[in-house]
């Protein structure tokens, strides 16, 4: 009842609620798992409720690519689909009719009782795809407006695309998931902007967008609870983080901001990446929810992110427009978003020195004399003879 009231209160304020669910496994101390204890009189609901037992099970070997491999056999996929995650989390057997029915009905119950807007589904590739088809179909039938996003933690766009719904894969199965997390883009954004690598890594990943049924629905991000924070990367700087955010809010997809990254919090892997946000309680030594409680650097990042979010709302082309790459080099990248309202040109310079780039505007149909004004600064540029010269400050985005 408390969760239902919380969901309804948030929705009344325009906030949608997504619940984190796990259909692949349970914790080692779940009552079903504890039923295996020697002094327990209980047992899992059916003899085949799980794949294996604590004493006799397969360990997952992380070979998720075998699931899309047309040359793979059931035996080669066995460890992925039936292996125990990190070798300690009891793996649910979706091939057991009762377990399958329970998992689907459980998701329906949570959606119906609480009024959820969406579900984030953990460890999606480790569950048979025919189960996801049935799970999604059941939810869509009763809750057609509910959306599900799946976690496919992999850098390969082909594998991530294999799990987004909207078309049948080579196994003739459509998962039905509206969205998946865009881990390939995450890895490229980290490489370019946190580690000051080759910025072309980002458009190289975006070049695979033809693989996705709907790349515009991918959830894009710079960090989340399963990885070290952006500012924990070796060589990461506030300037790099702000450029990364400029990319996140001007590229296709649905941008997600992990709490604390909007002020540049640091932290290694779990549990350091899940530390409390500073503030919110009267006994906290500082309150970063307020301008006075943030440092000058934190405020610069915070207001930069706020401005980018406002720009994305002001210019729908940033969410729905056509993307055109205009210039790429190791440290500079210029692209345009066009087709919905005004054309927006986005430029990056990762170098430690200012740079000047010249681009051909014919592909985005900007007329001669058109003046482009920086939304993130004070500079401007004019189209002349079908060409546009841009002066890019060092370590900045325009």
């Amino acid at each position: 009842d408390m969760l239902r009231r919380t969901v309804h209160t948030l929705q009344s304020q325009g906030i949608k609620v997504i619940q984190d669910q796990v259909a692949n496994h349970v914790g080692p101390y779940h009552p079903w798992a504890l039923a295996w204890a020697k002094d327990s009189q209980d047992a899992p609901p059916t003899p085949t409720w799980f794949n294996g037992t604590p004493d006799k099970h397969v360990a997952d070997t992380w070979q998720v690519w075998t699931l899309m491999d047309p040359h793979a056999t059931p035996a080669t996929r066995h460890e992925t689909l039936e292996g125990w995650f990190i070798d300690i989390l009891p793996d649910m057997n979706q091939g057991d009719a009762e377990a399958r029915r329970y998992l689907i009905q459980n998701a329906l119950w949570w959606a119906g009782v609480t009024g959820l807007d969406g579900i984030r589904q953990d460890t999606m590739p480790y569950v048979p795809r025919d189960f996801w088809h049935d799970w999604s179909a059941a939810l869509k039938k009763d809750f057609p407006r509910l959306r599900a996003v799946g976690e496919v933690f992999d850098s390969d766009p082909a594998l991530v695309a294999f799990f987004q719904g909207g078309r049948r894969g080579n196994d003739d199965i459509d998962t039905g998931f509206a969205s998946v997390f865009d881990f390939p883009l995450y890895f490229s954004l980290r490489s370019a902007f946190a580690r000051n690598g080759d910025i072309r890594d980002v458009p190289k990943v975006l070049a695979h967008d033809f693989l996705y049924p709907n790349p515009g629905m991918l959830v894009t991000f710079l960090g989340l609870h399963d990885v070290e924070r952006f500012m924990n990367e070796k060589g990461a700087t506030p300037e790099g983080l702000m450029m990364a955010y400029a990319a996140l809010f001007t590229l296709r997809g649905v941008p997600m901001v992990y709490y604390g990254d909007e002020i540049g919090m640091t932290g290694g892997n779990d549990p350091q990446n899940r530390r409390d946000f500073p503030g919110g309680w009267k006994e906290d030594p500082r309150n970063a929810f307020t301008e006075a409680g943030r440092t000058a650097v934190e405020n610069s990042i915070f207001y930069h992110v706020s401005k980018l979010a406002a720009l994305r709302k002001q210019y729908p082309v940033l969410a729905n427009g056509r993307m055109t790459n205009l210039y790429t080099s190791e440290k500079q990248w210029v692209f345009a978003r066009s087709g919905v309202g005004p054309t927006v040109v986005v430029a990056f310079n990762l170098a430690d020195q200012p740079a000047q780039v010249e681009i051909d505007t014919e592909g985005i149909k900007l007329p001669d004399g058109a003046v482009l004004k920086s939304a993130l600064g004070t500079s401007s540029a004019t189209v002349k003879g079908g060409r546009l010269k841009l002066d890019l400050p060092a370590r900045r985005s325009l």
Side-chain angles (χ1 to χ4, degrees), residues 114-163:
T114 66
L116 296 171
D117 298 289
I119 294 172
R120 180 258 186 193
Q121 190 58 247
D122 190 71
T123 50
M124 187 182 179
Y126 300 90
V127 174
R129 282 165 50 83
D130 65 327
F131 170 81
W132 290 133
H133 174 271
D134 292 350
W135 183 90
S136 297
L139 282 163
K140 286 180 180 178
K141 180 181 178 182
D142 286 355
F143 306 100
R145 295 178 63 86
L146 185 142
R147 296 291 180 266
V149 54
E151 181 206 33
V152 185
F153 198 141
D154 202 275
S155 62
D156 184 357
L159 179 64
V160 177
F162 186 60
F163 283 91

Side-chain angles (χ1 to χ4, degrees), residues 69-358:
D69 181 7
H71 313 294
T73 65
T76 60
R77 299 188 181 105
H78 173 68
E79 293 175 348
T80 298
L81 293 176
E82 299 184 21
W84 284 30
F85 205 69
I86 60 174
D87 202 21
I88 65 169
L89 300 179
D91 192 75
M92 293 285 292
N93 177 16
Q94 293 79 20
D96 178 287
E98 291 301 321
R100 189 186 192 94
R101 184 178 297 111
Y102 166 82
L103 289 168
I104 292 174
Q105 290 181 347
N106 182 253
L108 291 169
W109 184 87
W110 280 109
V113 168
T114 66
L116 296 171
D117 298 289
I119 294 172
R120 180 258 186 193
Q121 190 58 247
D122 190 71
T123 50
M124 187 182 179
Y126 300 90
V127 174
R129 282 165 50 83
D130 65 327
F131 170 81
W132 290 133
H133 174 271
D134 292 350
W135 183 90
S136 297
L139 282 163
K140 286 180 180 178
K141 180 181 178 182
D142 286 355
F143 306 100
R145 295 178 63 86
L146 185 142
R147 296 291 180 266
V149 54
E151 181 206 33
V152 185
F153 198 141
D154 202 275
S155 62
D156 184 357
L159 179 64
V160 177
F162 186 60
F163 283 91
Q164 187 182 30
R167 66 165 174 243
R168 297 178 183 273
N170 56 19
D171 55 1
D172 201 34
I173 295 172
D174 182 342
T175 66
F177 272 62
S179 181
V180 288
F181 289 96
D182 194 349
F183 275 93
L185 184 62
Y186 153 79
F187 283 112
S188 70
L189 291 172
R190 282 289 188 99
S191 172
F193 296 108
R195 298 189 288 275
N196 197 26
D198 191 330
I199 198 171
R200 289 172 294 191
D201 288 346
V202 183
K204 282 180 182 178
V205 166
L206 295 168
H208 293 82
D209 275 0
F210 69 93
L211 295 169
Y212 295 100
N214 187 355
M217 279 295 292
L218 299 174
V219 174
T220 58
F221 56 97
L222 302 180
L224 39 68
H225 67 291
D226 283 326
V227 299
E228 66 176 328
R229 287 190 179 272
F230 185 102
M231 289 301 294
N232 221 62
E233 294 262 18
K234 186 178 180 179
T237 65
E239 293 77 18
L241 177 57
M242 288 191 283
M243 283 191 288
Y245 268 124
L248 188 72
F249 279 93
T250 58
L251 291 172
R252 70 15 173 197
V254 182
M256 181 190 77
V257 177
Y258 183 52
Y259 84 95
D261 283 352
E262 75 276 19
I263 62 170
M265 281 180 65
T266 60
N269 290 317
D270 183 15
Q272 297 305 316
N273 56 0
R274 307 184 189 189
R275 288 199 303 260
D276 290 346
F277 187 90
W281 307 96
K282 61 182 180 181
E283 61 269 21
D284 289 333
R286 73 180 182 115
N287 184 8
F289 288 101
T290 67
E291 181 176 343
R294 296 189 290 265
T295 67
V297 172
E298 289 173 341
N299 272 317
S300 66
I301 299 171
F302 180 85
Y303 287 115
H304 179 73
V305 175
S306 300
K307 188 169 188 176
L308 287 166
L311 287 172
R312 190 175 178 92
K313 183 177 181 180
Q314 180 182 354
Y315 298 106
V317 70
L318 293 176
N320 305 311
R322 180 179 67 257
M323 178 179 174
T324 306
N325 279 318
L326 300 173
Y327 182 90
T328 54
S329 66
E330 183 180 354
K331 295 298 180 184
Q332 291 83 37
W333 178 31
V334 183
F335 65 85
R337 303 298 303 276
S338 58
V340 183
T343 295
V344 175
V345 175
V346 186
F348 298 90
N349 180 20
L350 286 185
D352 293 327
Q353 303 82 30
Q356 185 180 81
V357 299
E358 184 173 341

